[in-house]
Amino acid sequence: MGKKKGNKAAASSDDFLQTLEDFTSKENWDKFFTLRGNDDSFEWYAEWPQLRDSLLPLLQDSSSSSSSSSSGSLQILVPGCGNSRLSEHLYDAGFRDITNVDFSKVVISDMLRRNIRTRPELRWRVMDITKMQLADESFDMVLDKGALDALMEPEVGTKLGNQYLSEAKRVLKPGGKFICLTLAESHVLALLFSRFRFGWKMNVHSIAQKRSNLKTFMVVAEKENSVLLHEITSAFDLLSLGRNDSQGSGMREALESENQIRRDCNNGSDLLYSHEDLKLGIKGDLTELTGGRRIKFTLGGQGSNFSYRAVLLDAQKQTEPFVYHCGVFLVPKTRAHEWLFSSEEGQWQVVESSQAARLIMVFLDSSHSGATMEDIQNDLSPMVTQLAPRNDDEEARIPYMMASDGIKKRDTVHEVTSSLTGKVVVEDVVYESAPSNLEDLSPSSDLAFRRLVFERTEGLIQSEALLVEDGDILEQSQKEKTKNVSQLKRKGNKKQNQEPSRPLMRVSHDYLASSYHTGIISGFTLVSSYLKKAESCGTMVKTVVIGLGAGLLPMFLHGCLPFFSIEAVELDPVMLNVSKDYFGFTHNDRLKVHIADGIKFIRDITNSEASSEETSNSGSNGDSTAHNTQGGTCPDILIIDVDSADSSGGLTCPASDFIEETFLLSVKRALPQHGLFVVNLVSRSQSVKDMVVSRMKKVFDHLFGLQLEEEDDVNVVLFGLCSESVISESDIPESAVILEGLLKCQRLETKQSIIDATKKLKCWK
């Protein structure tokens, strides 16, 4: 099978590779194998001469330890076989009981014709490796040569990889081995290591390569009749993997990280378990109720349309009469961060009010936004039934309960359709409970918020702002009202009970309702020493924000950091009108807007800077500061805050062009040594996030990350720095004090939220 498109050229210069665009597409593989023909085998990596010495001892060891009496009867499955000669070499080495499967009918037909006479015992079957029609525990070995890599395209996420690994584990006999030949990309290892934890022994080998810069690693997982959690061992010295070798250092980091997780778990630390782990009995017999038992885990995978984060809770007092033996409580994305659902204490309160002996709390997220509640319930039901405790009443139903979306009142203020963005909605909402830092603001009335929502990503709030009474407009309105009442009295109108007018509201630009805006500004701590110096010297700090949205972030920066010169770049002119008309956005000499393509805007700055340097180096006596027709001088801070028009690949923010390596390199060239690059990253796919982080680590000298909420693994703010010298995590508290002194916020709670967020900054490189 194949692997990521980014490594095609390194794998081979074969022109046929150009026919493959999607490594998970059956049609593309059929076309690929048709063009190659049945006699033209293709090895993506690790050819037989390099594999033989490492692989054969494992197979021979399996033969001696399995119920098979000889190597010939060792039952081997090769999923995603393609037209590789691996099975043919194994057959010639004496291993005859080999089943090869691939979803391409073209390649299976070719391979059958190629081997029918010379290797008649080889079996070839057309089959999807994520849904194999094979019996449980029927193979001694599953030999994967690039199949998992091919399924783990970052744009696709982990769904196919998860389904395939579930199948591979299912068909293996106890004592059997899953052998995975992989290029060991970080998102592949993250899934592979996490799926073979309890009841598996894992070992990693490095395969010597010839004529290739790419290393191949062999990960071996042996199935045990136990639920022990072993550390992963390696058949080579980890220190031998050079730090300048991205593959080697990636493998070393993944092994160290996974083994730390395993050590922590064995020492009693909590872990996010999988549904499969729980079925093994990792946390005891789930058919029995255990008062006070609380387990965080994930649901989904084989046979499921979605993945879910969940918590299983057995009521603390099992002596009380319960209405339900088991119940499911669905928490919508908009409320997952609330104390009642995110804290352990709050969750026990929900259990008590549900009157269920066992409650399974399931958290919905943006990946579920297109599904109906019926879809969700049908998807969950088979899995929930497996998690229900034993009950004498076989007819007892499992009820589905759900928290409301937390909105007490909703008014649509404006709708407009843009040719670039699609349908745009401005709405005013009142939440059932106010944010904790605003509880004392307006105790006598409900707080209202104005939100910007795009129909294409309806599960994501693009912008959100607090609405407050407009004092200036209110005063003018009262004068008009008094004048009108006087006129009515002179005309003899005796109507006394006039309906009270609604207060006139405006958007507050000194409060951050969006937590990711708070996170972005907290990252300024990383360059606070430079910011302090700039303020002291009267130097303006140029900040470019790609993506205007409702204009709330630029307006906040303009008001709270008066020494900032801000330029917002927005592709869609409709958004500028919406921000002005409904969110109070204004521009001036210190806050400018460019209607332009953000990618081109930054590249123009880079090209202008390069031209300026050439002019300077050629002896020009003119001003060497870089300028361009749109962007002007190089920014000190660059913020990417745009959504993706197509989030089907798992990336909701930003658009994929903004995390391409070529663009990241342009950014680094555009920024000065003290510069800061900020990306608001929104993705449910861990593989997508790993890909983005890996690219940024490659380009920037240092990388910091900020996870917005402890229970939210979707939104991360990334900070890339260009300077080789940067503050350490231990210096952040002191640097945060500097930032606190620079912020001129009218609301103390806003400043405190920003400073509190700095405590979550973590150094990732």
Side-chain angles (χ1 to χ4, degrees), residues 66-68 73-77 97 99 132-142 165-177 199-200 223-226 279-280 302:
S66 74
S67 57
S68 305
S73 58
L74 186 72
Q75 293 173 299
I76 301 172
L77 173 68
D97 196 345
T99 300
M132 292 187 281
Q133 292 82 49
L134 299 169
D136 294 354
E137 299 184 356
S138 52
F139 291 92
D140 299 293
M141 181 171 294
V142 175
L165 291 181
S166 293
E167 286 289 88
K169 293 165 72 172
R170 179 182 64 80
V171 301
L172 269 177
K173 299 175 182 178
K177 292 186 177 73
W200 296 85
K223 191 174 187 178
E224 293 186 314
N225 279 319
S226 75
K279 289 194 291 184
L280 289 172
Q302 181 187 8

mmCIF file of all heavy atoms in Angstrom, residues 66-68 73-77 97 99 132-142 165-177 199-200 223-226 279-280 302:
data_model
loop_
_atom_site.group_PDB
_atom_site.id
_atom_site.type_symbol
_atom_site.label_atom_id
_atom_site.label_comp_id
_atom_site.label_asym_id
_atom_site.label_seq_id
_atom_site.Cartn_x
_atom_site.Cartn_y
_atom_site.Cartn_z
ATOM 1 N N SER A 66 3.410 -21.118 18.267
ATOM 2 C CA SER A 66 1.980 -21.240 17.978
ATOM 3 C C SER A 66 1.580 -22.702 17.920
ATOM 4 O O SER A 66 2.405 -23.621 18.008
ATOM 5 C CB SER A 66 1.649 -20.563 16.649
ATOM 6 O OG SER A 66 2.122 -21.352 15.581
ATOM 7 N N SER A 67 0.272 -22.915 17.745
ATOM 8 C CA SER A 67 -0.240 -24.279 17.648
ATOM 9 C C SER A 67 0.138 -24.928 16.322
ATOM 10 O O SER A 67 0.011 -26.129 16.146
ATOM 11 C CB SER A 67 -1.770 -24.266 17.791
ATOM 12 O OG SER A 67 -2.349 -23.432 16.803
ATOM 13 N N SER A 68 0.611 -24.139 15.371
ATOM 14 C CA SER A 68 1.014 -24.674 14.067
ATOM 15 C C SER A 68 2.277 -25.497 14.242
ATOM 16 O O SER A 68 3.196 -25.123 14.962
ATOM 17 C CB SER A 68 1.250 -23.535 13.079
ATOM 18 O OG SER A 68 0.110 -22.705 13.001
ATOM 19 N N SER A 73 2.327 -24.045 7.983
ATOM 20 C CA SER A 73 0.947 -23.954 8.463
ATOM 21 C C SER A 73 0.694 -22.696 9.291
ATOM 22 O O SER A 73 -0.399 -22.526 9.825
ATOM 23 C CB SER A 73 0.597 -25.195 9.289
ATOM 24 O OG SER A 73 1.490 -25.332 10.384
ATOM 25 N N LEU A 74 1.685 -21.810 9.420
ATOM 26 C CA LEU A 74 1.485 -20.536 10.109
ATOM 27 C C LEU A 74 0.530 -19.694 9.272
ATOM 28 O O LEU A 74 0.795 -19.407 8.109
ATOM 29 C CB LEU A 74 2.829 -19.813 10.274
ATOM 30 C CG LEU A 74 2.812 -18.529 11.113
ATOM 31 C CD1 LEU A 74 2.617 -18.856 12.585
ATOM 32 C CD2 LEU A 74 4.103 -17.748 10.921
ATOM 33 N N GLN A 75 -0.591 -19.320 9.864
ATOM 34 C CA GLN A 75 -1.618 -18.597 9.109
ATOM 35 C C GLN A 75 -1.322 -17.103 9.133
ATOM 36 O O GLN A 75 -1.367 -16.468 10.183
ATOM 37 C CB GLN A 75 -2.996 -18.902 9.690
ATOM 38 C CG GLN A 75 -3.410 -20.358 9.480
ATOM 39 C CD GLN A 75 -4.690 -20.693 10.205
ATOM 40 O OE1 GLN A 75 -4.765 -20.606 11.426
ATOM 41 N NE2 GLN A 75 -5.709 -21.080 9.457
ATOM 42 N N ILE A 76 -1.036 -16.547 7.954
ATOM 43 C CA ILE A 76 -0.598 -15.154 7.815
ATOM 44 C C ILE A 76 -1.622 -14.392 6.981
ATOM 45 O O ILE A 76 -2.074 -14.870 5.934
ATOM 46 C CB ILE A 76 0.786 -15.078 7.141
ATOM 47 C CG1 ILE A 76 1.834 -15.851 7.966
ATOM 48 C CG2 ILE A 76 1.225 -13.616 6.966
ATOM 49 C CD1 ILE A 76 3.179 -15.971 7.271
ATOM 50 N N LEU A 77 -1.969 -13.198 7.446
ATOM 51 C CA LEU A 77 -2.838 -12.287 6.697
ATOM 52 C C LEU A 77 -2.019 -11.078 6.267
ATOM 53 O O LEU A 77 -1.332 -10.460 7.084
ATOM 54 C CB LEU A 77 -4.021 -11.843 7.563
ATOM 55 C CG LEU A 77 -4.925 -10.759 6.960
ATOM 56 C CD1 LEU A 77 -5.687 -11.305 5.757
ATOM 57 C CD2 LEU A 77 -5.902 -10.217 8.009
ATOM 58 N N ASP A 97 0.717 -20.713 3.998
ATOM 59 C CA ASP A 97 -0.677 -20.385 4.354
ATOM 60 C C ASP A 97 -0.822 -18.867 4.494
ATOM 61 O O ASP A 97 -0.877 -18.315 5.586
ATOM 62 C CB ASP A 97 -1.054 -21.090 5.657
ATOM 63 C CG ASP A 97 -2.560 -21.119 5.885
ATOM 64 O OD1 ASP A 97 -3.272 -20.352 5.196
ATOM 65 O OD2 ASP A 97 -3.022 -21.885 6.747
ATOM 66 N N THR A 99 -2.969 -15.400 3.287
ATOM 67 C CA THR A 99 -4.155 -14.790 2.692
ATOM 68 C C THR A 99 -3.857 -13.324 2.407
ATOM 69 O O THR A 99 -3.499 -12.570 3.318
ATOM 70 C CB THR A 99 -5.363 -14.895 3.641
ATOM 71 O OG1 THR A 99 -5.637 -16.283 3.899
ATOM 72 C CG2 THR A 99 -6.597 -14.239 3.027
ATOM 73 N N MET A 132 -13.406 -6.555 7.193
ATOM 74 C CA MET A 132 -12.995 -7.830 6.615
ATOM 75 C C MET A 132 -13.982 -8.946 6.959
ATOM 76 O O MET A 132 -14.380 -9.092 8.119
ATOM 77 C CB MET A 132 -11.585 -8.189 7.096
ATOM 78 C CG MET A 132 -10.506 -7.263 6.560
ATOM 79 S SD MET A 132 -8.812 -7.764 6.926
ATOM 80 C CE MET A 132 -8.635 -7.227 8.623
ATOM 81 N N GLN A 133 -14.353 -9.716 5.955
ATOM 82 C CA GLN A 133 -15.234 -10.866 6.167
ATOM 83 C C GLN A 133 -14.376 -12.082 6.516
ATOM 84 O O GLN A 133 -14.263 -13.052 5.761
ATOM 85 C CB GLN A 133 -16.070 -11.136 4.913
ATOM 86 C CG GLN A 133 -17.099 -10.051 4.598
ATOM 87 C CD GLN A 133 -16.477 -8.873 3.868
ATOM 88 O OE1 GLN A 133 -15.757 -9.051 2.889
ATOM 89 N NE2 GLN A 133 -16.736 -7.674 4.342
ATOM 90 N N LEU A 134 -13.759 -12.016 7.687
ATOM 91 C CA LEU A 134 -12.876 -13.076 8.171
ATOM 92 C C LEU A 134 -13.268 -13.421 9.594
ATOM 93 O O LEU A 134 -13.708 -12.555 10.363
ATOM 94 C CB LEU A 134 -11.412 -12.629 8.121
ATOM 95 C CG LEU A 134 -10.857 -12.264 6.731
ATOM 96 C CD1 LEU A 134 -9.492 -11.593 6.854
ATOM 97 C CD2 LEU A 134 -10.756 -13.504 5.850
ATOM 98 N N ALA A 135 -13.089 -14.668 9.980
ATOM 99 C CA ALA A 135 -13.499 -15.140 11.303
ATOM 100 C C ALA A 135 -12.624 -14.555 12.402
ATOM 101 O O ALA A 135 -11.445 -14.229 12.182
ATOM 102 C CB ALA A 135 -13.447 -16.662 11.344
ATOM 103 N N ASP A 136 -13.198 -14.429 13.602
ATOM 104 C CA ASP A 136 -12.432 -13.980 14.766
ATOM 105 C C ASP A 136 -11.308 -14.957 15.056
ATOM 106 O O ASP A 136 -11.441 -16.184 14.872
ATOM 107 C CB ASP A 136 -13.334 -13.887 16.003
ATOM 108 C CG ASP A 136 -14.396 -12.810 15.879
ATOM 109 O OD1 ASP A 136 -14.373 -12.063 14.889
ATOM 110 O OD2 ASP A 136 -15.252 -12.733 16.777
ATOM 111 N N GLU A 137 -10.171 -14.418 15.511
ATOM 112 C CA GLU A 137 -9.033 -15.218 15.986
ATOM 113 C C GLU A 137 -8.675 -16.331 14.991
ATOM 114 O O GLU A 137 -8.537 -17.502 15.357
ATOM 115 C CB GLU A 137 -9.327 -15.800 17.363
ATOM 116 C CG GLU A 137 -9.570 -14.722 18.419
ATOM 117 C CD GLU A 137 -9.781 -15.281 19.816
ATOM 118 O OE1 GLU A 137 -9.816 -16.526 19.958
ATOM 119 O OE2 GLU A 137 -9.898 -14.485 20.766
ATOM 120 N N SER A 138 -8.500 -15.964 13.730
ATOM 121 C CA SER A 138 -8.236 -16.962 12.689
ATOM 122 C C SER A 138 -6.820 -16.895 12.112
ATOM 123 O O SER A 138 -6.465 -17.731 11.278
ATOM 124 C CB SER A 138 -9.258 -16.812 11.559
ATOM 125 O OG SER A 138 -9.314 -15.476 11.088
ATOM 126 N N PHE A 139 -5.993 -15.926 12.561
ATOM 127 C CA PHE A 139 -4.647 -15.784 12.005
ATOM 128 C C PHE A 139 -3.600 -15.709 13.108
ATOM 129 O O PHE A 139 -3.837 -15.141 14.182
ATOM 130 C CB PHE A 139 -4.557 -14.535 11.124
ATOM 131 C CG PHE A 139 -5.338 -14.638 9.852
ATOM 132 C CD1 PHE A 139 -6.648 -14.186 9.780
ATOM 133 C CD2 PHE A 139 -4.771 -15.214 8.718
ATOM 134 C CE1 PHE A 139 -7.377 -14.293 8.614
ATOM 135 C CE2 PHE A 139 -5.496 -15.322 7.534
ATOM 136 C CZ PHE A 139 -6.808 -14.862 7.481
ATOM 137 N N ASP A 140 -2.438 -16.289 12.813
ATOM 138 C CA ASP A 140 -1.304 -16.215 13.735
ATOM 139 C C ASP A 140 -0.548 -14.905 13.569
ATOM 140 O O ASP A 140 0.159 -14.474 14.483
ATOM 141 C CB ASP A 140 -0.332 -17.381 13.473
ATOM 142 C CG ASP A 140 -0.982 -18.726 13.676
ATOM 143 O OD1 ASP A 140 -1.337 -19.045 14.825
ATOM 144 O OD2 ASP A 140 -1.164 -19.441 12.663
ATOM 145 N N MET A 141 -0.685 -14.296 12.396
ATOM 146 C CA MET A 141 0.071 -13.077 12.130
ATOM 147 C C MET A 141 -0.679 -12.198 11.126
ATOM 148 O O MET A 141 -1.240 -12.696 10.149
ATOM 149 C CB MET A 141 1.459 -13.412 11.583
ATOM 150 C CG MET A 141 2.347 -12.208 11.302
ATOM 151 S SD MET A 141 4.023 -12.738 10.917
ATOM 152 C CE MET A 141 4.535 -13.434 12.484
ATOM 153 N N VAL A 142 -0.696 -10.902 11.402
ATOM 154 C CA VAL A 142 -1.170 -9.912 10.439
ATOM 155 C C VAL A 142 0.035 -9.065 10.056
ATOM 156 O O VAL A 142 0.646 -8.417 10.920
ATOM 157 C CB VAL A 142 -2.284 -9.029 11.029
ATOM 158 C CG1 VAL A 142 -2.674 -7.937 10.038
ATOM 159 C CG2 VAL A 142 -3.504 -9.870 11.397
ATOM 160 N N LEU A 165 -7.498 -1.143 12.496
ATOM 161 C CA LEU A 165 -6.796 -1.750 13.632
ATOM 162 C C LEU A 165 -7.741 -2.607 14.468
ATOM 163 O O LEU A 165 -7.331 -3.641 15.012
ATOM 164 C CB LEU A 165 -6.144 -0.666 14.486
ATOM 165 C CG LEU A 165 -4.962 0.072 13.833
ATOM 166 C CD1 LEU A 165 -4.379 1.110 14.784
ATOM 167 C CD2 LEU A 165 -3.872 -0.912 13.407
ATOM 168 N N SER A 166 -8.997 -2.186 14.586
ATOM 169 C CA SER A 166 -9.977 -3.019 15.295
ATOM 170 C C SER A 166 -10.120 -4.368 14.604
ATOM 171 O O SER A 166 -10.208 -5.420 15.255
ATOM 172 C CB SER A 166 -11.337 -2.317 15.353
ATOM 173 O OG SER A 166 -11.283 -1.166 16.161
ATOM 174 N N GLU A 167 -10.150 -4.353 13.277
ATOM 175 C CA GLU A 167 -10.261 -5.590 12.512
ATOM 176 C C GLU A 167 -9.008 -6.457 12.662
ATOM 177 O O GLU A 167 -9.091 -7.680 12.819
ATOM 178 C CB GLU A 167 -10.503 -5.272 11.036
ATOM 179 C CG GLU A 167 -11.900 -4.777 10.731
ATOM 180 C CD GLU A 167 -12.907 -5.899 10.868
ATOM 181 O OE1 GLU A 167 -13.408 -6.106 11.998
ATOM 182 O OE2 GLU A 167 -13.197 -6.588 9.871
ATOM 183 N N ALA A 168 -7.840 -5.827 12.603
ATOM 184 C CA ALA A 168 -6.590 -6.574 12.740
ATOM 185 C C ALA A 168 -6.513 -7.261 14.105
ATOM 186 O O ALA A 168 -6.114 -8.429 14.212
ATOM 187 C CB ALA A 168 -5.399 -5.636 12.544
ATOM 188 N N LYS A 169 -6.919 -6.562 15.151
ATOM 189 C CA LYS A 169 -6.914 -7.141 16.504
ATOM 190 C C LYS A 169 -7.928 -8.280 16.613
ATOM 191 O O LYS A 169 -7.682 -9.283 17.285
ATOM 192 C CB LYS A 169 -7.211 -6.048 17.528
ATOM 193 C CG LYS A 169 -6.114 -5.001 17.632
ATOM 194 C CD LYS A 169 -6.572 -3.763 18.365
ATOM 195 C CE LYS A 169 -6.733 -3.974 19.836
ATOM 196 N NZ LYS A 169 -6.999 -2.698 20.545
ATOM 197 N N ARG A 170 -9.054 -8.109 15.940
ATOM 198 C CA ARG A 170 -10.124 -9.108 16.025
ATOM 199 C C ARG A 170 -9.713 -10.447 15.410
ATOM 200 O O ARG A 170 -10.019 -11.518 15.969
ATOM 201 C CB ARG A 170 -11.374 -8.577 15.320
ATOM 202 C CG ARG A 170 -12.557 -9.531 15.315
ATOM 203 C CD ARG A 170 -13.742 -8.951 14.554
ATOM 204 N NE ARG A 170 -13.486 -8.749 13.136
ATOM 205 C CZ ARG A 170 -13.534 -9.709 12.218
ATOM 206 N NH1 ARG A 170 -13.805 -10.964 12.568
ATOM 207 N NH2 ARG A 170 -13.304 -9.421 10.942
ATOM 208 N N VAL A 171 -9.041 -10.410 14.262
ATOM 209 C CA VAL A 171 -8.753 -11.660 13.546
ATOM 210 C C VAL A 171 -7.506 -12.370 14.073
ATOM 211 O O VAL A 171 -7.237 -13.501 13.676
ATOM 212 C CB VAL A 171 -8.599 -11.397 12.026
ATOM 213 C CG1 VAL A 171 -9.872 -10.778 11.459
ATOM 214 C CG2 VAL A 171 -7.396 -10.518 11.731
ATOM 215 N N LEU A 172 -6.752 -11.732 14.970
ATOM 216 C CA LEU A 172 -5.543 -12.365 15.518
ATOM 217 C C LEU A 172 -5.886 -13.363 16.621
ATOM 218 O O LEU A 172 -6.708 -13.086 17.493
ATOM 219 C CB LEU A 172 -4.592 -11.307 16.073
ATOM 220 C CG LEU A 172 -3.534 -10.737 15.141
ATOM 221 C CD1 LEU A 172 -2.734 -9.660 15.857
ATOM 222 C CD2 LEU A 172 -2.595 -11.828 14.620
ATOM 223 N N LYS A 173 -5.208 -14.502 16.596
ATOM 224 C CA LYS A 173 -5.336 -15.479 17.677
ATOM 225 C C LYS A 173 -4.589 -14.979 18.917
ATOM 226 O O LYS A 173 -3.661 -14.168 18.803
ATOM 227 C CB LYS A 173 -4.724 -16.812 17.257
ATOM 228 C CG LYS A 173 -5.360 -17.465 16.040
ATOM 229 C CD LYS A 173 -4.590 -18.724 15.658
ATOM 230 C CE LYS A 173 -5.154 -19.383 14.415
ATOM 231 N NZ LYS A 173 -4.364 -20.578 14.017
ATOM 232 N N PRO A 174 -4.947 -15.444 20.108
ATOM 233 C CA PRO A 174 -4.113 -15.154 21.288
ATOM 234 C C PRO A 174 -2.689 -15.644 21.039
ATOM 235 O O PRO A 174 -2.473 -16.753 20.534
ATOM 236 C CB PRO A 174 -4.798 -15.958 22.401
ATOM 237 C CG PRO A 174 -6.224 -16.075 21.956
ATOM 238 C CD PRO A 174 -6.167 -16.198 20.458
ATOM 239 N N GLY A 175 -1.712 -14.807 21.345
ATOM 240 C CA GLY A 175 -0.324 -15.127 21.041
ATOM 241 C C GLY A 175 0.099 -14.709 19.647
ATOM 242 O O GLY A 175 1.285 -14.778 19.297
ATOM 243 N N GLY A 176 -0.876 -14.264 18.830
ATOM 244 C CA GLY A 176 -0.556 -13.827 17.484
ATOM 245 C C GLY A 176 0.130 -12.472 17.466
ATOM 246 O O GLY A 176 0.138 -11.741 18.455
ATOM 247 N N LYS A 177 0.708 -12.133 16.327
ATOM 248 C CA LYS A 177 1.474 -10.888 16.205
ATOM 249 C C LYS A 177 0.905 -10.004 15.098
ATOM 250 O O LYS A 177 0.587 -10.484 14.007
ATOM 251 C CB LYS A 177 2.943 -11.178 15.907
ATOM 252 C CG LYS A 177 3.728 -11.827 17.033
ATOM 253 C CD LYS A 177 5.201 -11.931 16.656
ATOM 254 C CE LYS A 177 6.050 -12.507 17.789
ATOM 255 N NZ LYS A 177 5.818 -13.963 17.944
ATOM 256 N N GLY A 199 -2.963 -5.649 27.314
ATOM 257 C CA GLY A 199 -2.975 -7.001 26.781
ATOM 258 C C GLY A 199 -2.121 -7.194 25.546
ATOM 259 O O GLY A 199 -2.302 -8.175 24.817
ATOM 260 N N TRP A 200 -1.148 -6.295 25.333
ATOM 261 C CA TRP A 200 -0.260 -6.404 24.177
ATOM 262 C C TRP A 200 1.173 -6.099 24.594
ATOM 263 O O TRP A 200 1.411 -5.194 25.393
ATOM 264 C CB TRP A 200 -0.670 -5.431 23.068
ATOM 265 C CG TRP A 200 -2.018 -5.713 22.492
ATOM 266 C CD1 TRP A 200 -3.218 -5.297 22.977
ATOM 267 C CD2 TRP A 200 -2.304 -6.479 21.322
ATOM 268 N NE1 TRP A 200 -4.239 -5.745 22.190
ATOM 269 C CE2 TRP A 200 -3.703 -6.471 21.159
ATOM 270 C CE3 TRP A 200 -1.516 -7.158 20.394
ATOM 271 C CZ2 TRP A 200 -4.337 -7.143 20.108
ATOM 272 C CZ3 TRP A 200 -2.145 -7.809 19.342
ATOM 273 C CH2 TRP A 200 -3.530 -7.798 19.205
ATOM 274 N N LYS A 223 -0.291 -10.346 20.961
ATOM 275 C CA LYS A 223 -1.553 -10.431 21.697
ATOM 276 C C LYS A 223 -1.422 -11.385 22.883
ATOM 277 O O LYS A 223 -1.066 -12.556 22.719
ATOM 278 C CB LYS A 223 -2.662 -10.912 20.757
ATOM 279 C CG LYS A 223 -4.067 -10.810 21.304
ATOM 280 C CD LYS A 223 -5.065 -11.189 20.205
ATOM 281 C CE LYS A 223 -6.496 -10.956 20.615
ATOM 282 N NZ LYS A 223 -7.437 -11.280 19.507
ATOM 283 N N GLU A 224 -1.739 -10.877 24.091
ATOM 284 C CA GLU A 224 -1.619 -11.674 25.307
ATOM 285 C C GLU A 224 -3.000 -12.043 25.860
ATOM 286 O O GLU A 224 -3.992 -11.381 25.572
ATOM 287 C CB GLU A 224 -0.877 -10.891 26.400
ATOM 288 C CG GLU A 224 0.574 -10.621 26.108
ATOM 289 C CD GLU A 224 1.252 -9.982 27.308
ATOM 290 O OE1 GLU A 224 0.678 -9.045 27.886
ATOM 291 O OE2 GLU A 224 2.341 -10.450 27.665
ATOM 292 N N ASN A 225 -3.021 -13.066 26.691
ATOM 293 C CA ASN A 225 -4.235 -13.413 27.427
ATOM 294 C C ASN A 225 -4.206 -12.740 28.793
ATOM 295 O O ASN A 225 -4.303 -13.381 29.840
ATOM 296 C CB ASN A 225 -4.341 -14.932 27.603
ATOM 297 C CG ASN A 225 -4.890 -15.601 26.357
ATOM 298 O OD1 ASN A 225 -5.817 -15.094 25.737
ATOM 299 N ND2 ASN A 225 -4.308 -16.731 25.978
ATOM 300 N N SER A 226 -4.024 -11.420 28.798
ATOM 301 C CA SER A 226 -3.972 -10.668 30.046
ATOM 302 C C SER A 226 -4.371 -9.236 29.748
ATOM 303 O O SER A 226 -4.585 -8.868 28.600
ATOM 304 C CB SER A 226 -2.558 -10.702 30.649
ATOM 305 O OG SER A 226 -1.692 -9.838 29.925
ATOM 306 N N LYS A 279 -14.002 -3.193 27.581
ATOM 307 C CA LYS A 279 -14.538 -4.535 27.350
ATOM 308 C C LYS A 279 -13.553 -5.624 27.787
ATOM 309 O O LYS A 279 -13.953 -6.738 28.095
ATOM 310 C CB LYS A 279 -14.902 -4.707 25.869
ATOM 311 C CG LYS A 279 -16.136 -3.904 25.454
ATOM 312 C CD LYS A 279 -16.674 -4.330 24.102
ATOM 313 C CE LYS A 279 -15.751 -3.968 22.974
ATOM 314 N NZ LYS A 279 -16.333 -4.294 21.645
ATOM 315 N N LEU A 280 -12.265 -5.291 27.828
ATOM 316 C CA LEU A 280 -11.261 -6.240 28.307
ATOM 317 C C LEU A 280 -11.294 -6.403 29.826
ATOM 318 O O LEU A 280 -10.672 -7.311 30.371
ATOM 319 C CB LEU A 280 -9.854 -5.786 27.881
ATOM 320 C CG LEU A 280 -9.500 -5.898 26.399
ATOM 321 C CD1 LEU A 280 -8.153 -5.231 26.135
ATOM 322 C CD2 LEU A 280 -9.456 -7.359 25.966
ATOM 323 N N GLN A 302 -14.996 0.744 14.997
ATOM 324 C CA GLN A 302 -15.563 -0.245 14.088
ATOM 325 C C GLN A 302 -17.090 -0.217 14.112
ATOM 326 O O GLN A 302 -17.723 -0.322 15.154
ATOM 327 C CB GLN A 302 -15.063 -1.637 14.485
ATOM 328 C CG GLN A 302 -15.569 -2.746 13.575
ATOM 329 C CD GLN A 302 -15.200 -4.110 14.110
ATOM 330 O OE1 GLN A 302 -14.701 -4.234 15.201
ATOM 331 N NE2 GLN A 302 -15.471 -5.137 13.325
#
